[in-house]
Amino acid sequence: MANVIIVLILLALVGYGIYSFVHHLTRGGGCCGEHEPPVKKVKVEDRNKAHYPHTLVLGVDGMTCQNCQRHVENALNVLPGTWAAVDLVARSVTVLTKDEADEDAIRQAIRDAGYLPLRTTSKT
């Protein structure tokens, strides 16, 4: 009888794990937007890095998952002449720009996305 109870508990745990995994895939998940579908990535039209001579690297506080990464990248990639790539491990964003970077506009876009821009670590 004890074996049957253990098997039923294990089946319930496996069933819940499968449900949770499918729910995460279909409805999104993570720390932000748990009940929203995953954010679609905004793609930059001009993907030739040679066209972006200016680089700005900023620390960003509050990013914890790939959904956060997409939020920050999308907020910056919609700016004209801008291409952003987030490094979650370093908690930073590298922003390539065609013209001299408007650091204030970039910082405001990060704030508008719900994150805190930190100090500038590199600018060229």
Side-chain angles (χ1 to χ4, degrees), residues 38-56:
V39 176
K40 295 196 187 266
K41 187 172 186 172
V42 173
K43 296 190 180 190
V44 178
E45 289 181 22
D46 184 2
R47 297 189 61 86
N48 185 348
K49 287 188 179 183
H51 295 163
Y52 299 88
H54 305 281
T55 304
L56 177 68

Side-chain angles (χ1 to χ4, degrees), residues 40-93:
K40 295 196 187 266
K41 187 172 186 172
V42 173
K43 296 190 180 190
V44 178
E45 289 181 22
D46 184 2
R47 297 189 61 86
N48 185 348
K49 287 188 179 183
H51 295 163
Y52 299 88
H54 305 281
T55 304
L56 177 68
V57 181
L58 290 166
V60 180
D61 192 29
M63 297 185 303
T64 58
C65 67
Q66 289 181 341
N67 214 16
C68 297
Q69 174 182 354
R70 281 189 297 273
H71 279 287
V72 172
E73 286 178 351
N74 288 349
L76 296 172
N77 286 340
V78 296
L79 298 175
T82 303
W83 186 2
V86 168
D87 182 352
L88 274 177
V89 175
R91 292 191 177 178
S92 67
V93 60

Side-chain angles (χ1 to χ4, degrees), residues 1-68:
M1 185 65 176
N3 288 341
V4 172
I5 293 173
I6 292 173
V7 169
L8 290 175
I9 291 172
L10 287 175
L11 285 174
L13 289 173
V14 168
Y16 178 74
I18 291 171
Y19 166 78
S20 180
F21 178 73
V22 170
H23 185 268
H24 179 77
L25 288 178
T26 58
R27 304 233 195 278
C31 62
C32 45
E34 185 173 330
H35 299 292
E36 301 171 9
V39 176
K40 295 196 187 266
K41 187 172 186 172
V42 173
K43 296 190 180 190
V44 178
E45 289 181 22
D46 184 2
R47 297 189 61 86
N48 185 348
K49 287 188 179 183
H51 295 163
Y52 299 88
H54 305 281
T55 304
L56 177 68
V57 181
L58 290 166
V60 180
D61 192 29
M63 297 185 303
T64 58
C65 67
Q66 289 181 341
N67 214 16
C68 297

